[in-house]
Amino acid sequence: GAGGSPADPQLLHSADEEANQKADRELMWAERARYYGAQAVLGGQRIAAGAGAGVLGAVVASPLYLVKTRMQVSSPVNPSVGAQRNYSGMRSALREVYKEGGVRELWRGSRAASLRVAGGSSAQLGSYDWCKSTLQYNTGFSGAPLHLLASLYSGVFVVLVMNPFDVVSTRIYNQPIVDGRGTLYEGVADCFRKTVRTEGMRGLYKGVIAHWLRVGPHTCLTFVFLEQLRSFWEKLI
């Protein structure tokens, strides 16, 4: 007729349902964008905090890490395991290192150690909360299972970032010293370059499984206790 045929109710219902579904999808993606945007900001802050704390800790503890590395490779039975110093103890080792080159010698390798710990700490703090939030958001996990799984994933990130610096810092700490200079490597960049040139990228990941077996449980315990402290603090306030 002149007024036109009436619209099909089923078509109208289908169009309304499609519009509602589209609106729901747009809302869901907007919520996810806000969520991951907020996580990116928090992750950047955690990475910066972890790197700063890692550098500070590495610089302060570098003389002890130097002595620890040299004492661990010392072997009167098998001297081929590394440069031999044969320190009688920690105090003796610190005195001998100081005699070799003064205060500066105590911080030999501290740059590599700073990069090592800065990378590890930033990866640990940056990845744990991100893994936890992502797992919780997508799987609904909570409590101890969530914390355990997130910390295991975090341990993988830590080892992947940290292991190359671990290899380099260990080699710099343990290289023979003649006239106050290392005989094998001139510094961090030189050690990276020579390691990759002679052994390939795999050389930077030597000991990665053993490293993860050490860091994995450490990371799990660290964050399980951290979550307990968080819960305790939230109850207090």
Side-chain angles (χ1 to χ4, degrees):
S5 60
D8 188 341
Q10 290 184 348
L11 291 176
L12 290 174
H13 177 74
S14 178
D16 289 342
E17 187 175 354
E18 184 177 347
N20 289 335
Q21 290 177 352
K22 182 179 179 181
D24 289 341
R25 286 195 299 270
E26 290 177 351
L27 180 61
M28 179 188 71
W29 285 113
E31 288 178 351
R32 287 196 173 189
R34 285 195 296 269
Y35 170 78
Y36 286 115
Q39 288 300 310
V41 172
L42 289 174
Q45 294 173 345
R46 291 166 186 145
I47 289 172
V55 169
L56 179 61
V59 170
V60 171
S62 188
L64 297 177
Y65 199 87
L66 168 68
V67 167
K68 188 259 320 176
T69 301
R70 291 181 175 181
M71 292 181 71
Q72 284 181 333
V73 299
S74 178
S75 174
V77 178
N78 184 14
S80 63
V81 297
Q84 300 296 301
R85 270 86 177 186
N86 299 319
Y87 302 132
S88 61
M90 185 183 71
R91 292 182 180 179
S92 168
L94 290 171
R95 283 196 299 268
E96 290 299 320
V97 173
Y98 179 78
K99 288 179 182 178
E100 288 176 10
V103 173
R104 184 176 181 180
E105 187 65 22
L106 290 168
W107 270 269
R108 176 178 293 277
S110 61
R111 292 181 182 177
S114 297
L115 292 171
R116 169 186 175 273
V117 182
S121 297
S122 60
Q124 188 178 57
L125 293 180
S127 65
Y128 172 73
D129 279 319
W130 181 83
C131 289
K132 186 181 76 168
S133 300
T134 302
L135 287 168
Q136 188 174 33
Y137 187 83
N138 291 286
T139 66
F141 287 176
S142 63
L146 173 66
H147 304 154
L148 181 62
L149 191 58
S151 61
L152 286 173
Y153 278 117
S154 177
V156 173
F157 282 108
V158 171
V159 171
L160 289 176
V161 172
M162 198 176 192
N163 206 83
F165 298 107
D166 209 27
V167 170
V168 168
S169 64
T170 299
R171 293 184 176 193
I172 291 176
Y173 277 142
N174 195 49
Q175 67 176 327
I177 307 298
V178 176
D179 296 329
R181 297 179 63 85
T183 61
L184 301 177
Y185 310 108
E186 296 178 3
V188 176
D190 185 52
C191 186
F192 266 110
R193 184 169 53 252
K194 288 180 178 176
T195 301
V196 172
R197 186 172 64 234
T198 58
E199 304 172 49
M201 289 298 297
R202 292 182 63 181
L204 296 176
Y205 283 92
K206 285 187 172 180
V208 67
I209 301 299
H211 194 182
W212 185 80
L213 290 174
R214 180 181 74 84
V215 171
H218 173 270
T219 303
C220 288
L221 291 173
T222 297
F223 286 116
V224 166
F225 284 117
L226 174 64
E227 293 294 347
Q228 296 302 313
L229 290 172
R230 280 178 174 175
S231 178
F232 177 72
W233 180 252
E234 289 172 358
K235 289 178 182 178
L236 284 180
I237 60 176

